[in-house]
Amino acid sequence: MTPDQLAAAIRHAVVTSIAEGDLALEPAQVPDEVAVERPRNPDHGDYATNIALQLAKAAGTNPRAVAELVATRLRDVRGIAAVDIAGPGFLNITLDAATLGEVARSVVVAGETYGQIDRYAGTKVNVEFISANPTGPLHLGHTRWAAVGDAIARVLEAAGAEADREFYINDRGLQMDKFGQSLEARALGTEPPEGGYQGEYVTDLAQVVVASDPGILELTGDARWEAFREAGYALQLQQQKEVLDAFNTHFDVWYSERTLHSSGAVERGMAKLREQGHMFEADGATWLRTTDFDDDRDRVLLRSNGELTYFASDTAYYLDKRARGFDVCIYLLGADHHGYVNRLRAVAACAGDDPDVNIEVLIGQLVKMVKGGEEVRLSKRAGNMITLEDLVDEVGVDAARYSLIRYPVDSPLVLDLDLLVSRSNENPVYYVQYAHARIASVLRNAAELGIDWRATEADLALLTHDRETALLGLIGELPRVVGTAAELREPHRIARYLEELANGYHKFYDLCRVLPMADAELEPINISRLWLCAAARQTLANGLAMLGVTAPDRM
RNA sequence: GCGCCCGUAGCUCAACGGAUAGAGCAGCCGGUUUCUACCCGGCUGGUUGGGGGUUCGAGUCCCUCCGGGCGCACCA
């Protein structure tokens, strides 16, 4: 019996109580999904529900009385071994061993699909993240989004959504020109212009550009720095793509801001907004009245000098995504862009969309790095920065991704480089991966002993040890963790869950011998435990896949 | 001044409004005759920044104060 099935059984017991006149409630007052959780304290059974506490007031009685009514009916449900009422009115439910043990079989049978749910079936989601200028390497802030954004997409896919990862290339405007001028300057051996790019990589890049096209130096005037800009753009974009690919983050769409303009998407967007009646002219400029929808000031789309603002691009881009059929547009932005949240939501509202449904802006706080007890300052302009590649070189893709995903993004993150570099078990990714490798090893050994557990009838009711039931309970949680992680857009919940699961396995392994000792006969419990091992391995592997982290068979 | 985010153990951080606030690291003490010790168990460590409120129940929601980060362009 899965937790969801149990929740349904509880709900049925409540509805039956109402139907039979024992509970003075309307069926509509019963929540669609009854909350079922695993109690922290094992003495409180396999599962607990607070349904009696929630309904007591509306039913005009006390929680324990409601609990009693529900408990009586639950005790008749096949698979439920015991129902206790505890504390203010919690229902503590214990499943019988065979019923709980079946979790192992169902996980093994489901294989790679275990953990997938259909909550977002039919929903098309666009997840946009990083969206850096193609003017330099990706830094640590980008790296956080690379890991988290991709994990959000993976989790949404596991929850049934069709999720596209999208990278918006900021390839238009002043920054690009400064980039071209900086490259030109370095190629000529002079200093970049005011506000230009100072990083050492600019000099290297300039050399690469000249080496591949020596004729570029023959150009004169604006044509020269524009040529540098275009050549540098192509190289940097290619480099970003390669780096992200190696980082196991694969974008479905690389969307160029220039394309947005050349394709007519901007005109279409402006027309749509004009149609909706939220545009106006003032001081020679064209504005969008975002203050109609919670923004603190109106925003200029078309400047009085005839140039489109960056905001115009943002607006057109959102509308283009919607036109491409995405139901939900998720943006991951850095904390320094939190001022954009209201204006982006207002754009959706101005376009006639529901900002609470169609657009979602996630704000991530900054990543700080500490090394040798001192903060490492990141500055693209100064060139003294830590790049995605630096981090990967130091700790590897798996550890980098995992460390960045395992924390919620709305609080600032301080990574201690020394700890990350130390490759000790202080890094939880090793702990989780090790659990997977350990199981893989046991399964290998079983095969060498000639034990074909899959082909052997397993009595899963034998899994009654505390560590076994605890592990089974943990394994059964994955689908619900996926649901929560997807709904809240919080992939760190998967990571935390995997750490708990790994811990549950190590504890089991410590006290429960899986394979027969050298001189012992193969017993039924060995087979049952192999099924449990296989289920735990599958669950770890599936969870790690949702984070884009590998599940090694050997370490 | 206005707005957003944050404040939890010595450090880094968890905790869909649920039961005794948990992990890792740091410190101390133990554990495996056999499947991976990158493991397991125990101890020490907290007025969840302060104060009010909402309710069966608040780290979580509301108000307020304190402290920290970030943002408030016809820049990109």
Side-chain angles (χ1 to χ4, degrees), chain A residues 278-356:
Chain A
H278 297 287
M279 274 167 62
F280 66 99
E281 312 286 327
D283 304 328
T286 303
W287 301 66
L288 187 65
R289 202 182 305 281
T290 53
T291 52
D292 284 348
F293 302 100
D294 289 338
D295 198 3
D296 40 14
R297 55 176 300 144
D298 293 324
R299 307 290 171 179
V300 172
L301 290 165
L302 185 62
R303 290 194 269 164
S304 53
N305 66 5
E307 285 181 32
L308 288 162
T309 61
Y310 197 83
F311 177 66
S313 295
D314 287 343
T315 301
Y317 187 37
Y318 167 76
L319 291 167
D320 183 71
K321 285 178 184 170
R322 293 281 289 139
R324 280 185 280 145
F326 293 105
D327 303 301
V328 182
C329 301
I330 297 178
Y331 292 72
L332 267 77
L333 301 179
D336 54 342
H337 286 69
H338 75 250
Y340 283 43
V341 177
N342 281 346
R343 81 185 66 164
L344 281 171
R345 287 171 54 84
V347 165
C350 285
D353 287 346
D354 182 347
D356 290 330

Side-chain angles (χ1 to χ4, degrees), chain A residues 13-14 16-17 20 22 68-77:
Chain A
V14 173
T16 305
S17 301
E20 295 176 357
D22 292 336
E68 193 54 59
L69 290 170
V70 179
T72 304
R73 289 173 173 83
L74 275 181
R75 290 190 184 103
D76 292 336
V77 174

Side-chain angles (χ1 to χ4, degrees), chain A residues 380-497:
Chain A
K380 195 171 196 172
R381 293 292 166 74
N384 175 27
M385 62 175 163
I386 297 191
T387 66
L388 188 158
E389 286 176 291
D390 292 333
L391 184 61
V392 169
D393 285 347
E394 301 241 32
V395 305
V397 171
D398 284 344
R401 284 185 69 104
Y402 193 94
S403 321
L404 291 165
I405 293 169
R406 95 180 266 267
Y407 304 101
V409 294
D410 56 4
S411 58
L413 175 58
V414 180
L415 289 181
D416 189 328
L417 242 198
D418 298 324
L419 288 183
L420 275 174
V421 170
S422 74
R423 279 186 171 273
S424 71
N425 61 358
E426 291 157 24
N427 194 328
V429 68
Y430 293 116
Y431 183 77
V432 174
Q433 289 183 317
Y434 179 64
H436 185 273
R438 207 177 203 189
I439 303 173
S441 172
V442 171
L443 295 175
R444 271 195 306 275
N445 293 341
E448 277 174 25
L449 290 173
I451 302 172
D452 189 356
W453 53 273
R454 260 182 179 279
T456 311
E457 186 60 33
D459 181 2
L460 299 171
L462 297 176
L463 300 173
T464 56
H465 190 285
D466 283 351
R467 300 274 170 102
E468 291 168 338
T469 56
L471 181 54
L472 283 165
L474 279 167
I475 290 170
E477 286 298 287
L478 180 64
R480 297 196 307 153
V481 174
V482 170
T484 307
E487 256 176 36
L488 301 176
R489 284 62 158 131
E490 290 185 339
H492 78 272
R493 289 172 186 277
I494 303 286
R496 300 288 171 162
Y497 163 73

Side-chain angles (χ1 to χ4, degrees), chain A residues 210-222:
Chain A
V210 172
S212 64
D213 177 18
I216 196 168
L217 293 172
E218 308 300 322
L219 297 171
T220 55
D222 290 348

